[in-house]
Amino acid sequence: MGRKGILINYDFCTGCHSCEVSCRVEHGYPDDQGGVIVVQVGPWEYGPDRYQYSFVPVITDQCDQCFERVDAGKDPACVHHCQAFAMKYGRIDDLSKEVDEGSKSILYYL
């Protein structure tokens, strides 16, 4: 079946924090913990009319890829609730083929 993971294309992340909230609710984590945390990078100007301003969902050590949800045939809570469709769950081999050249993508696996 192959190892599974979460692919995040943070070109599309809007910083809505739905992934964080859904993870905390799913697992009962306190507000300052979770399996995914959205980090804001910037804003700052680094050249004429060039700006850095991104949101990057970071998978933490508390992530278990929602094994109970996945066993029931569902996506992990963070993937299911991502409003920008920036997160995908699946086999690592399949997800790695979906990385577009030049995209800002991260592939996490346990």
Side-chain angles (χ1 to χ4, degrees):
M1 181 146 82
R3 292 184 72 180
K4 295 198 174 183
I6 296 173
L7 176 65
I8 302 170
N9 183 331
Y10 65 94
D11 272 337
F12 298 112
C13 180
T14 63
C16 72
H17 299 270
S18 291
C19 56
E20 284 184 8
V21 173
S22 63
C23 179
R24 288 181 186 135
V25 169
E26 181 74 23
H27 296 289
Y29 294 138
D31 287 343
D32 62 342
Q33 294 182 25
V36 60
I37 303 295
V38 177
V39 177
Q40 179 179 321
V41 181
W44 63 74
E45 186 174 10
Y46 64 92
D49 294 322
R50 299 199 48 125
Y51 296 89
Q52 172 65 51
Y53 189 47
S54 300
F55 295 97
V56 182
V58 177
I59 304 297
T60 74
D61 290 345
Q62 286 181 275
C63 176
D64 64 359
Q65 293 185 9
C66 291
F67 67 90
E68 290 178 8
R69 286 181 58 87
V70 170
D71 281 349
K74 300 176 183 178
D75 280 335
C78 61
V79 174
H80 177 76
H81 290 282
C82 179
Q83 296 181 18
F85 303 104
M87 304 175 91
K88 293 182 179 180
Y89 176 76
R91 292 182 54 236
I92 292 171
D93 294 340
D94 296 334
L95 293 174
S96 65
K97 294 174 188 171
E98 293 192 34
V99 176
D100 297 325
E101 188 173 330
S103 71
K104 297 174 185 170
S105 298
I106 301 168
L107 179 56
Y108 290 98
Y109 61 93
L110 296 175

